[in-house]
Amino acid sequence: MSEFVILIGQIFVIGVIQIIIEVFINMSDKPYQSKIINIACFMGSFYLLLDFTYNYLLKDISRLVNISLF
């Protein structure tokens, strides 16, 4: 459970950083730069989610499947 809270905290920090950067960048003057920042923040959050899934969820699911088979 603590790993999930850490994941939510990391994604929250990425969202806050994205909002702060968007405040400093004028979105109407630099639309391409804002799109790059949005994509980078999305990819960072997606990476953290995939990392959490592979490291914690899949191990627990495979352990439950192995226990139920035997």
Side-chain angles (χ1 to χ4, degrees):
M1 183 67 178
S2 65
E3 294 88 6
F4 180 72
V5 173
I6 292 171
L7 171 70
I8 296 300
Q10 289 172 337
I11 292 174
F12 178 75
V13 168
I14 288 175
V16 169
I17 291 171
Q18 179 182 6
I19 291 170
I20 290 171
I21 291 173
E22 285 179 354
V23 167
F24 289 116
I25 296 173
N26 192 358
M27 304 262 307
S28 61
D29 291 341
K30 301 177 183 177
Y32 294 113
Q33 191 173 12
S34 65
K35 285 181 184 179
I36 290 172
I37 290 169
N38 288 336
I39 290 171
C41 291
F42 175 79
M43 294 300 290
S45 298
F46 188 64
Y47 171 76
L48 290 173
L49 185 65
L50 285 177
D51 186 50
F52 175 79
T53 302
Y54 285 123
N55 287 330
Y56 299 106
L57 291 180
L58 291 180
K59 286 181 184 178
D60 289 342
I61 290 172
S62 67
R63 185 177 49 114
L64 288 173
V65 169
N66 285 337
I67 290 173
S68 66
L69 290 177
F70 294 110

